[in-house]
């Protein structure tokens, strides 16, 4: 059977052709493809891993952000509350100080008025004294016109003086 | 696990293989029963010739005359166009034999009048087709591989032609080579992929009915013989110690090994029967496919003399069957490349598998 009998010529050619094809493809063809496939697989794997990591990081950041926001809210409330307190305090302090100031001013005014009143009173008393002296002088002048009455008054005054001198000496 | 996967793949394609075989077996005899020249036409196509007949246009035969390269024992090398031998002409003492043992081959008429066969490495039609398809295979794969030269892994995956080749390569690696060969698959991947694409391109080119296709390359036993030989070498050259031990000293009762080494003998023959089966499978499938398609086409011409009704109805049947057969052959073209690659991968896996087991057994012993 001719078909089942391999031709030596064709065997030789086939061996050469297949060897050449194999060497060319095994050197320049398939290793490049397999390498590229491997590299792409690695790249995809690493990308997936990176994406997963990023996802985790993102969720971590989200919770961190939530925490920061809550903290900020709390701080805001604190600040507002303390501000309100400070305002109250400042206001009350100012009020108290104003009251005190007012009182002091009033007191000072009162004191001034008092001293002025007293001065006026003293002045008035002085004037009254002077007036009364003047009046009494005039009265006395009119009474002591005669000698006798002058002498009796002088005697009376001396007596009075005397009494005044002896009394403390007895005591001593 | 690994082997079961391979067996599963094998089982899933078995019915298709059988289907491919049945019509071939059923149709082949029919082309020989009537019509004076059908057998010759088919045999001429399946066999080899020294020229490439492209077609007959009107009265003109268009033929490519291929170079004849022969070495005579007495006169040395000769190289001339096959056109000089056309019509039974003799040139430099060489002639194409018309009958006898060397029918259709170039023979040399020696001094005593007998015909001897010289060493014939002519570029025959099959050789020309083979070389053409080989160049085509190299161009197809290298053009796809060239795409990667200036690209990084971070670039987008290739589309178009490169993407197609890459998909097939990835499919073969992931579905056949890696599971069937095992951990050392990377070393064998280029060989297996080369075998696959080489067979595929030759099969598909054989299905193209006009020049430069249509040459029955993979349906020639010499081609499949070399492929099987390559497989045999690759399978056995890196066989593990465990693999060789299983052949010459398998784990069977001693009386099966000594004094008559029955099982080792069977195992040893097995080394050669497996590639032999590869060779015959590819050869028979492709040859049968070509034969069936040719016979179906011949039906039209055989029935030409049987009246218009018979002829036209048979033509319709023939065309329908031919469309079916061509689709089937398209499938078979891929399938045979696939099967050849897969079985080679399985056999390589068998010769490699021992390496793992040897490693684990050795470590197990040292632990004991």
């Amino acid at each position: 059977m001719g078909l089942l009998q391999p031709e030596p010529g064709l065997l030789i050619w086939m061996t050469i052709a297949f060897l050449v094809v194999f060497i060319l493809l095994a050197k320049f063809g398939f290793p490049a493809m397999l390498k590229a496939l491997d590299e792409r697989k690695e790249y995809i794997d690493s990308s997936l891993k990176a994406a997963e990591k990023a996802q985790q990081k993102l969720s971590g950041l989200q919770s961190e952000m939530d925490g920061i926001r809550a903290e900020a809210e709390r701080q805001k409330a604190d600040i507002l509350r303390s501000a309100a307190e400070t305002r109250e305090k400042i206001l009350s302090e100012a009020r108290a100080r104003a009251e005190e100031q007012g009182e002091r001013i009033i007191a000072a005014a009162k004191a001034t008025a008092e001293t002025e009143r007293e001065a006026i009173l003293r002045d008035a008393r002085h004037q009254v004294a002077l007036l009364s002296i003047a009046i009494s002088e005039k009265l006395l002048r009119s009474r002591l016109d005669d000698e006798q009455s002058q002498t009796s008054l002088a005697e009376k005054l001396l007596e009075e003086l005397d009494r005044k001198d002896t009394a403390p000496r007895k005591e001593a | 696990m690994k082997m079961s996967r391979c067996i599963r793949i094998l089982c899933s394609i078995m019915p298709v293989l059988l289907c491919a075989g049945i019509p071939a077996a059923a149709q082949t005899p029919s082309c020989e029963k009537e019509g004076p020249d059908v057998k010759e036409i088919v045999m001429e196509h399946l066999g080899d010739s020294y020229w490439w007949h492209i077609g007959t246009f009107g009265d003109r035969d268009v033929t490519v005359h291929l170079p004849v390269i022969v070495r005579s024992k007495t006169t040395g090398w000769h190289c001339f166009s096959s056109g000089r031998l056309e019509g039974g002409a003799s040139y430099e003492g060489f002639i194409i034999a018309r009958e006898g043992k060397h029918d259709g081959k170039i023979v040399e008429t020696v001094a005593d009048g007998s015909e001897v066969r010289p060493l014939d490495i002519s570029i025959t039609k099959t050789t020309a087709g083979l070389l053409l398809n080989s160049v085509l295979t190299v161009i197809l794969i290298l053009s796809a591989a060239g795409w990667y030269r200036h690209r990084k892994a971070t670039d987008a995956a290739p589309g178009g032609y490169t993407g197609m080749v890459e998909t097939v390569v990835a499919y073969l690696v992931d579905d056949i080579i890696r599971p069937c060969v095992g951990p050392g698959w990377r070393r064998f991947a280029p060989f297996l992929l080369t075998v696959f694409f080489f067979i595929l391109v030759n099969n598909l080119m054989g299905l193209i009915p006009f020049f430069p296709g249509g040459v029955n390359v993979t349906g020639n036993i010499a081609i499949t013989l070399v492929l099987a030989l390559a497989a045999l070498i690759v399978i056995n050259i890196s066989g593990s110690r465990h693999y060789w031990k299983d052949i010459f000293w398998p784990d069977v009762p001693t009386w099966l090994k000594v004094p008559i080494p029955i099982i080792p003998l069977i195992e040893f023959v097995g080394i050669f029967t497996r590639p032999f089966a590869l060779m015959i499978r590819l050869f028979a499938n492709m040859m049968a496919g070509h034969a069936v398609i040719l016979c179906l086409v011949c039906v039209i011409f055989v029935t030409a003399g049987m009246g218009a009704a018979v002829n036209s109805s048979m033509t319709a049947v023939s065309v329908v069957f031919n469309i079916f057969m061509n689709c089937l052959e398209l499938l078979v073209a891929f399938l045979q490349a696939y099967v050849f690659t897969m079985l080679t991968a399985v056999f390589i896996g068998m010769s490699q598998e021992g390496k793992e087991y040897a490693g684990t057994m050795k470590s197990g012993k040292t632990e004991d």
Side-chain angles (χ1 to χ4, degrees):
Chain A
M1 184 74 180
L3 286 178
L4 280 172
Q5 208 168 21
E7 273 296 311
L10 195 52
L11 280 177
I12 293 166
W13 282 114
M14 172 58 188
T15 310
I16 295 167
F18 185 73
L19 271 180
V20 169
V21 170
F22 172 59
I23 289 166
L24 281 177
L25 294 191
K27 200 162 170 61
F28 305 110
F30 295 117
M33 276 191 206
L34 293 174
K35 194 167 142 271
L37 280 173
D38 279 354
E39 279 174 357
R40 190 174 322 135
K41 187 169 170 292
E42 250 167 53
Y43 174 62
I44 290 169
D45 282 353
S46 68
S47 297
L48 281 176
K49 233 170 257 171
E52 198 183 335
K53 211 177 271 176
Q55 189 67 39
Q56 278 175 358
K57 216 178 204 172
L58 198 71
S59 60
L61 278 178
Q62 188 71 41
S63 63
E64 199 175 314
M65 207 167 70
D66 284 349
I68 289 170
R69 190 182 292 150
E71 178 74 12
E73 289 284 344
R74 213 169 46 75
Q75 280 184 357
K76 191 184 84 179
D78 275 2
I79 288 166
L80 281 178
R81 204 172 46 241
S82 74
E85 276 171 10
T86 314
R87 194 189 61 190
E88 281 300 312
K89 211 167 83 187
I90 289 169
L91 270 178
S92 62
E93 262 176 22
R95 205 174 288 134
R97 203 176 297 144
E99 264 170 28
E100 196 189 333
Q101 194 87 16
E103 268 167 20
R104 217 174 33 236
I105 289 166
I106 288 164
K110 266 185 186 164
T112 318
E114 188 69 21
T115 47
E116 275 178 4
R117 197 174 59 99
E118 273 176 12
I120 290 164
L121 274 178
R122 216 172 25 244
D123 201 34
R125 220 174 273 143
H126 188 62
Q127 294 292 329
V128 170
L130 285 176
L131 279 172
S132 60
I133 286 168
I135 290 164
S136 51
E137 204 177 73
K138 284 203 177 117
L139 276 175
L140 281 174
R141 235 169 244 159
S142 60
R143 279 239 204 114
L144 294 174
D145 282 344
D146 56 317
E147 196 86 14
Q148 207 185 339
S149 60
Q150 279 182 8
T151 331
S152 68
L153 184 65
E155 279 179 358
K156 199 168 137 194
L157 285 172
L158 281 172
E159 209 170 316
E160 270 175 22
L161 281 173
D162 232 11
R163 236 188 339 241
K164 261 183 194 175
D165 280 341
T166 56
R169 226 175 267 167
K170 273 176 187 173
E171 274 173 28
Chain B
M1 187 74 187
K2 191 173 60 184
M3 286 308 286
S4 71
R5 176 119 195 245
C6 294
I7 288 162
R8 216 185 62 219
I9 295 168
L10 200 61
C11 289
S12 63
I13 58 171
M14 220 33 126
V16 187
L17 284 176
L18 290 174
C19 283
I22 288 162
Q27 295 291 334
T28 313
S30 75
C31 63
E32 285 168 19
K33 63 182 179 189
E34 46 189 43
D37 52 357
V38 173
K39 189 183 173 190
E40 202 193 312
I41 290 170
V42 174
M43 290 312 278
E44 191 220 318
H45 171 79
L46 295 181
D48 213 346
S49 60
Y50 289 98
W51 39 76
W52 194 331
H53 183 231
I54 293 171
T56 309
F57 305 98
D59 294 336
R60 260 183 74 225
D61 269 330
V62 180
T63 305
V64 177
H65 293 291
L66 299 163
V68 172
I69 306 163
V70 283
R71 183 182 183 276
S72 161
K73 280 204 182 82
T74 49
T75 54
W77 289 100
H78 297 266
C79 182
F80 50 90
S81 164
S82 65
R84 297 186 187 279
L85 298 174
E86 218 168 8
S90 170
Y91 185 77
E92 292 182 0
F94 296 100
I95 191 165
I96 296 174
R98 290 300 183 87
E99 65 224 352
K101 209 166 62 169
H102 308 302
D103 184 25
K105 305 288 175 202
I106 288 178
V107 288
E108 188 183 12
T109 316
V110 287
D112 61 349
S114 64
E115 292 177 339
V116 292
R117 185 101 168 84
L119 175 66
D120 183 0
I121 55 164
S122 307
I123 309 287
T124 59
K125 187 182 168 188
T126 311
T127 312
L130 166 73
L131 295 178
L132 193 79
N133 295 347
S134 302
V135 171
L136 197 65
T137 311
V138 170
I139 290 170
L140 285 175
I141 297 302
L142 288 191
S143 65
W147 185 90
Y148 299 96
R149 202 168 297 148
H150 306 297
R151 305 264 195 322
K152 297 192 294 291
T154 49
D155 291 344
Y161 171 68
T162 310
M164 186 183 79
V165 174
E166 191 194 284
T167 310
V168 177
V169 169
Y171 163 70
L172 289 172
V173 167
D174 289 342
D175 260 45
I176 303 180
I177 298 172
R178 209 197 311 258
C180 291
V181 176
W185 66 273
R186 193 169 285 275
R187 217 150 59 85
F188 299 98
F191 171 73
L192 292 166
L193 289 168
T194 306
V195 166
F196 177 84
F197 282 101
F198 187 84
I199 296 173
L200 185 69
V201 169
N202 275 300
N203 285 355
L204 290 177
M205 285 299 283
L207 288 181
I208 297 172
F210 42 80
F211 184 83
V215 185
N216 180 30
V217 178
T218 36
N220 190 302
I221 194 109
I223 305 296
T224 58
L225 175 66
V226 172
L227 284 172
L229 212 61
L232 175 77
I233 292 166
V234 171
I235 290 164
N236 290 293
I237 204 158
S238 58
S240 61
R241 201 193 305 173
H242 184 260
Y243 167 75
W244 290 113
K245 183 199 159 271
D246 254 6
I247 287 168
F248 294 112
W249 198 253
D251 290 327
V252 290
T254 316
W255 61 270
L256 286 171
K257 301 183 275 192
V258 181
I260 311 160
I262 303 168
I263 300 294
L265 203 67
I266 292 170
E267 290 279 355
F268 185 72
V269 172
I271 295 174
F272 302 99
T273 52
R274 285 188 287 233
F276 186 78
L278 287 178
M279 170 180 89
I280 295 296
R281 183 182 297 108
L282 181 59
F283 158 71
N285 267 285
M286 297 324 293
M287 192 198 67
H290 280 254
V292 170
I293 288 173
L294 277 171
C295 286
L296 284 169
V297 173
C298 285
V299 164
I300 298 169
F301 302 101
V302 167
T303 56
M306 296 180 184
V310 174
N311 187 223
S312 53
S313 58
M314 285 314 284
T315 303
V317 169
S318 161
V319 168
V320 169
F321 265 89
N322 243 325
I323 292 169
F324 169 73
M325 274 312 293
N326 266 307
C327 292
L328 193 69
E329 278 303 301
L330 209 59
L331 173 69
V332 169
F334 175 80
L335 206 64
Q336 286 306 318
Y338 180 87
V339 166
F340 197 103
T341 312
M342 190 193 67
L343 289 176
T344 311
V346 170
F347 297 149
I348 292 173
M350 285 162 111
S351 74
Q352 292 293 301
E353 209 158 17
K355 279 185 179 169
E356 277 180 6
Y357 290 151
T360 49
M361 273 167 65
K362 212 175 272 175
S363 67
K365 269 176 191 167
T366 49
E367 271 169 33
D368 289 340

